[in-house]
Amino acid sequence: HMEMDCGPLKHMEMDCGPPNLRPLPLFPGSVFRSGQVDFSSWEAARCPRTVLNLRFEPDAERWKVHGCRYIHCPKANDTEMYDTSSPETRAWLQAVFSALASLDSGSAFPLLIHCFSGRDRTGIVCAMLQIILGATEQVVVTSFDIEPEAKEDAKRRINFGKALDGLRPTKADQKKMDCDLEMCPFGQPPLQHYLRKAVDVRKLQTAFAREHPRA
């Protein structure tokens, strides 16, 4: 008899859930993040009603039998994802948040957001989502899943800092905004200047308000 871990094993459905599965701090029972879901059972993944896949590869969509809706907003796992000021990354994030804003709060949750490892692409999207919902900077940084003492995470800390900087209003944005940027470093409503007309941030906040009443 050999004990097996919960890593991705081909041709086997594991009941321990996807790798790195955990809830977002603002939504402890309704929004989860993880790595790839191909080898997990639906129940072990917290029975999601919606799965947002950020991987380049599509999901197998095995959970449709449970009424699960799949949304695919693909992004290659490369360093460009951290350059939130680039037009390509901005367009990808606009597509992601446009999809999130379209969710029906009555039937879309629990929501599972995932990529391959559940860290980089998922980390950026989860951080942005919690910025929009008014999370503290500490919660936002925690969302990116950086181990403070891990040497291998030093580069990720730098990249995440650059990603956050790319989300802040530019001087041109500031001229159009009537808010105290020291109090609202990501604008008001948060990130509307970044997502622009592609996403109605107020609508997105409303979609998640039932899951996080303080939003």
Side-chain angles (χ1 to χ4, degrees):
H1 174 73
M2 182 174 68
E3 187 171 306
M4 305 179 75
D5 65 20
C6 298
L9 299 178
K10 290 186 177 181
H11 311 304
M12 295 186 65
E13 183 170 286
M14 305 298 293
D15 286 335
C16 45
N20 294 325
L21 176 67
R22 58 202 177 283
L24 266 65
L26 293 186
F27 311 93
S30 57
V31 182
F32 298 87
R33 57 179 292 179
S34 76
Q36 61 176 319
V37 301
D38 291 344
F39 310 104
S40 168
S41 70
W42 180 70
E43 292 81 3
R46 305 297 190 270
C47 304
R49 292 296 176 190
T50 307
V51 173
L52 173 60
N53 175 18
L54 307 174
R55 295 175 64 193
F56 192 76
E57 300 82 4
D59 287 330
E61 301 191 1
R62 295 178 297 112
W63 300 341
K64 281 188 173 181
V65 296
H66 300 289
C68 183
R69 174 191 177 193
Y70 285 84
I71 302 172
H72 191 201
C73 295
K75 174 68 173 170
N77 188 21
D78 53 37
T79 55
E80 181 189 300
M81 79 182 82
Y82 295 105
D83 184 6
T84 52
S85 64
S86 77
E88 293 81 7
T89 299
R90 184 190 291 255
W92 169 63
L93 289 168
Q94 286 174 339
V96 169
F97 283 91
S98 178
L100 290 175
S102 72
L103 295 179
D104 180 351
S105 60
S107 60
F109 297 89
L111 165 67
L112 176 61
I113 303 171
H114 83 90
C115 55
F116 182 77
S117 67
R119 300 190 76 195
D120 298 292
R121 288 163 289 191
T122 299
I124 288 174
V125 168
C126 289
M128 287 182 65
L129 178 59
Q130 296 192 103
I131 287 171
I132 290 171
L133 273 297
T136 65
E137 184 174 349
Q138 182 179 0
V139 170
V140 171
V141 172
T142 300
S143 296
F144 199 60
D145 187 30
I146 296 174
E147 297 291 339
E149 305 301 325
K151 291 182 179 180
E152 61 271 20
D153 276 358
K155 186 175 181 179
R156 296 182 75 248
R157 283 193 293 272
I158 294 172
N159 285 335
F160 184 51
K162 291 179 179 178
L164 286 184
D165 287 342
L167 297 175
R168 301 182 197 278
T170 64
K171 290 183 179 180
D173 292 325
Q174 292 177 28
K175 292 179 180 179
K176 301 175 184 177
M177 297 164 56
D178 183 21
C179 67
D180 184 345
L181 292 178
E182 289 190 7
M183 296 293 294
C184 307
F186 294 101
Q188 185 62 32
L191 297 182
Q192 184 68 76
H193 67 279
Y194 182 83
L195 297 171
R196 297 179 179 173
K197 294 181 179 180
V199 181
D200 184 338
V201 168
R202 296 293 192 193
K203 181 180 178 182
L204 193 151
Q205 290 172 330
T206 299
F208 282 81
R210 182 175 175 178
E211 309 304 319
H212 176 53
R214 290 174 294 169

